[in-house]
Amino acid sequence: MDSSGHETIGEILTHDIPRDFLLTFESLYQRALEDAHAIASRRAIGHKKSVLGINRHFLLNEALLNAFEEFGILHGPLRGNSALVGQFGRVTLGRLHLGPGGWDNSRRSKAKVRLCERNGAAAQLVQCNLFGAASVVKALTAFLVTDGDERAANVYIVVPDAYMDLRNPVFRESLFEFLHRYEPVEPIVDIAFPELKQGVKRVEQGDGFPT
């Protein structure tokens, strides 16, 4: 893996996706998961899992929609099981939730897989390619991925490869880690000044050396 390519992907994401948008989604997604869990808890045991999955999908999509609309992001329609995505410059951003199976790709939607086809250039960028020309990333698909317990899920920002293999993504960072990328890097100021010890004569240019 080329670490410089990974950093380039991170720079594209931070340049095109506002930090405040991610903070807004972070504040909304947990409430969505809690509401889905509360609705499912009132259903019969045989229905809980299905009710939870359906309401989790709807409520997380609504959380993402609310974040899009708060920041005036161009987005697709909110419609049933359809993938909801917004456009941030070069970056198309959607969301998905990982079930107990972990980071597998066994239940990929065809629409999301098609969106990831554009990530071929990004995948080449992070691969060690000594002889090929440098890839130019003109478009990128990323996902906000919720993963973990229904009441306390972790959130990641993920750029899959062109085949949407979530086990081997082009880029993956927790949202907590990713948000640090927006923090300005303070320049390092060298405040160390060499000083001669007392009693040592400074040799000026042209003085020569004592014999």
Side-chain angles (χ1 to χ4, degrees):
M1 283 290 186
D2 184 346
S3 60
S4 64
H6 182 272
E7 287 305 305
T8 299
I9 298 301
E11 290 170 4
I12 292 173
L13 294 171
T14 54
H15 180 272
D16 288 13
I17 303 175
R19 175 179 180 270
D20 287 347
F21 169 84
L22 296 175
L23 291 173
T24 296
F25 178 76
E26 187 178 38
S27 69
L28 294 173
Y29 89 92
Q30 188 62 56
R31 178 62 182 272
L33 291 176
E34 291 172 356
D35 287 349
H37 195 279
I39 294 170
S41 68
R42 299 193 293 270
R43 304 278 72 85
I45 293 177
H47 287 166
K48 285 183 184 295
K49 185 175 181 180
S50 297
V51 171
L52 175 61
I54 291 170
N55 283 281
R56 181 180 60 211
H57 171 79
F58 290 156
L59 294 173
L60 282 173
N61 267 10
E62 289 178 10
L64 184 59
L65 176 70
N66 290 337
F68 285 157
E69 293 188 340
E70 181 171 337
F71 287 85
I73 304 302
L74 181 66
H75 60 79
L78 184 68
R79 186 174 58 237
N81 291 327
S82 299
L84 175 66
V85 297
Q87 196 65 43
F88 297 81
R90 291 166 288 179
V91 180
T92 300
L93 183 68
R95 66 132 212 105
L96 58 92
H97 182 84
L98 295 179
W103 290 81
D104 60 37
N105 57 354
S106 60
R107 300 182 66 184
R108 299 172 298 173
S109 76
K110 292 181 180 179
K112 290 175 181 175
V113 172
R114 286 195 298 271
L115 285 172
C116 289
E117 291 175 356
R118 68 188 67 177
N119 288 351
Q124 292 178 9
L125 189 65
V126 300
Q127 291 170 352
C128 295
N129 186 355
L130 300 178
F131 305 104
S135 299
V136 177
V137 178
K138 297 181 179 180
L140 198 64
T141 295
F143 294 96
L144 291 168
V145 179
T146 48
D147 169 39
D149 182 81
E150 301 299 340
R151 295 183 180 179
N154 297 311
V155 185
Y156 298 84
I157 186 162
V158 179
V159 177
D161 65 6
Y163 305 98
M164 200 176 172
D165 181 0
L166 295 176
R167 291 164 295 191
N168 298 286
V170 172
F171 181 97
R172 181 176 73 186
E173 286 185 0
S174 69
L175 194 56
F176 175 80
E177 180 183 8
F178 184 78
L179 286 170
H180 286 301
R181 289 179 171 270
Y182 293 91
E183 297 175 359
V185 178
E186 296 184 1
I188 299 175
V189 179
D190 186 0
I191 58 173
F193 298 97
E195 294 183 0
L196 291 175
K197 294 181 179 180
Q198 291 187 1
V200 177
K201 179 182 178 182
R202 182 187 297 273
V203 178
E204 302 293 344
Q205 186 175 359
D207 284 351
F209 293 92
T211 57

